[in-house]
Amino acid sequence: MIPFLSLKDINQQHAEELKKVTNEVIDSGWYLFGERLATFEKNLAEFIGSEHAIGVANGLDALRLILKAYIELNVMQAGDEIIVPANTYIASALAISDNQLKPVFVEPDPNTFNIDINKIEAAITAKTKAIMMVHLYGQACWSEKLSDIANKHNLKIIEDNAQAIGAEWKGRKTGALGDAAGFSFYPGKNMGALADAGAVTTNDEELANMVRTLGNYGSTKKYVHDYKGLNSRLNEMQAAILDVKLKYIDQENQKRREVANGYLTGINNSKIKLPKITTKSALTAFNHVWHLFVVRVANREQFQQYMTDNGIQTLIHYPISLHKQKAYSEFKHLSFPISEEIQQEIVSLPISPVLEMEDVKVISKVINSF
């Protein structure tokens, strides 16, 4: 069986370094707010090209804290609206609704799966305060038009960069394009910790300080709490692990591009819709880091069973549109036909920096015979 993803193999690449730094953390006797966190935050900010990076407990908290900070800074208030893709993982919307803000869903571009920037302005109302851009599956979603819309309507742009660390738009990395960005370092991400972990990046010092304070129980001084905060901290162990992995992220993203390029050039079956990229070759498309390689197939169940029968594991990310989720039943009357069609057809093929190119050829050959 060719697995969809082998985290053991991914971490085995760096096993000696990871064991060394984790032992150093254990021996240090210091497990929160120490040198490892400070070093990782500095290195992450430098890598992304932002003034500030704040480690937090997970990717959902990263987005929650950005919005919560904007509320405490009187940029937003309960009942305000945040535009978000209709086609995304639920965390994007949960961060909004958890802060008593309202998600306003906008359809994706069927070619890229990312939010259709041309449809954003029509969704803006007097209550709109921000646009949450999700760089879905690892592809940067940005344009001059987006910046113009945000400036025209005085909106913040928040990046959900959970799937796209290292991706670029015109030489600038995602996570440094908008006003603030949330990162996830869930183990299965391109740069995964060995547990849940996340971060916020921004050039806004006031926002950075507020995020840091809110993530520490709303406190800047022990037992003195100026805000009703959260407990959302990146511990020393995960910071040390992530600092090791940060050194290799560009290299591993390039390996993902090689896998993607193998699929794009090797799969030739009219029943399979391949993802679209903006350049001729995935190898040179630095706007995409291929967290996932997602194809569309009309008869998905049959295709997945066929792949399983041929020893290839596939997954679906994500099978139910947000407005169709029970958690968001208040939106069940809405219709987003593009999102709904996409989510009936999407299938994720195996992709990782440790997937052998010979396996990519095998997978492509099997798909071509479907």
Side-chain angles (χ1 to χ4, degrees), residues 219-366:
S219 172
T220 55
K221 182 180 178 182
K222 197 167 185 177
Y223 302 129
V224 177
H225 303 270
D226 297 324
Y227 306 96
K228 296 173 183 175
L230 309 173
N231 173 15
S232 184
R233 303 178 290 198
L234 180 62
N235 64 57
E236 287 287 281
M237 188 70 77
Q238 300 309 324
I241 288 165
L242 289 166
D243 205 41
V244 169
K245 292 196 168 190
L246 184 62
K247 296 184 294 184
Y248 301 101
I249 186 61
D250 281 340
Q251 174 185 321
E252 294 191 7
N253 282 342
Q254 190 60 23
K255 288 183 179 178
R256 289 175 177 272
R257 291 188 187 101
E258 291 171 11
V259 172
N261 200 59
Y263 284 142
L264 291 170
T265 57
I267 296 173
N268 184 18
N269 185 328
S270 60
K271 298 183 183 71
I272 311 298
K273 293 181 183 177
L274 295 171
K276 302 290 185 183
I277 56 173
T278 55
T279 58
K280 290 183 179 179
S281 170
L283 290 170
T284 55
F286 294 104
N287 68 315
H288 209 321
V289 294
W290 299 99
H291 172 58
L292 298 172
F293 190 96
V294 179
V295 300
R296 292 176 62 178
V297 190
N299 44 349
R300 181 169 65 193
E301 287 187 16
Q302 182 186 346
F303 175 74
Q304 282 201 287
Q305 187 59 55
Y306 167 79
M307 296 294 280
T308 300
D309 292 344
N310 282 276
I312 300 162
Q313 184 186 20
T314 61
L315 296 178
I316 303 171
H317 302 84
Y318 309 96
I320 306 173
S321 295
L322 296 185
H323 67 291
K324 296 290 188 183
Q325 296 280 2
K326 184 179 178 182
Y328 287 107
S329 58
E330 66 267 35
F331 299 112
K332 65 183 178 182
H333 64 287
L334 299 178
S335 175
F336 297 99
I338 298 174
S339 293
E340 291 162 27
E341 181 182 348
I342 285 172
Q343 283 159 347
Q344 291 296 315
E345 297 181 351
I346 50 174
V347 181
S348 301
L349 304 184
I351 189 165
S352 81
V354 295
L355 184 64
E356 298 290 343
M357 291 309 296
E358 195 57 43
D359 287 336
V360 174
K361 291 178 182 177
V362 170
I363 294 167
S364 300
K365 186 177 180 180
V366 170

Side-chain angles (χ1 to χ4, degrees), residues 57-97:
N58 55 68
L60 173 56
D61 276 4
L63 297 174
R64 288 171 71 204
L65 285 164
I66 291 168
L67 293 169
K68 190 173 179 66
Y70 276 133
I71 290 171
E72 293 292 355
L73 293 170
N74 297 313
V75 174
M76 301 173 187
Q77 62 181 0
D80 284 341
E81 297 174 351
I82 311 295
I83 290 172
V84 66
N87 180 48
T88 185
Y89 183 55
I90 196 170
S92 309
L94 287 174
I96 298 168
S97 56

Side-chain angles (χ1 to χ4, degrees), residues 132-201:
M132 185 176 289
M133 301 299 293
V134 182
H135 306 297
L136 196 67
Y137 305 151
Q139 183 163 206
C141 184
W142 206 263
S143 73
E144 284 90 355
K145 181 175 181 178
L146 173 67
S147 299
D148 291 343
I149 290 170
N151 291 333
K152 177 181 174 182
H153 297 277
N154 194 29
L155 304 178
K156 298 295 185 184
I157 302 182
I158 300 163
E159 297 174 75
D160 181 340
N161 203 39
Q163 300 185 15
I165 185 169
E168 296 181 2
W169 182 80
K170 295 190 175 181
R172 295 167 59 203
K173 284 191 168 65
T174 56
L177 299 171
D179 294 285
F183 292 71
S184 170
F185 304 121
Y186 175 78
K189 300 297 193 215
N190 288 33
M191 191 175 90
L194 299 190
D196 276 317
V200 171
T201 58

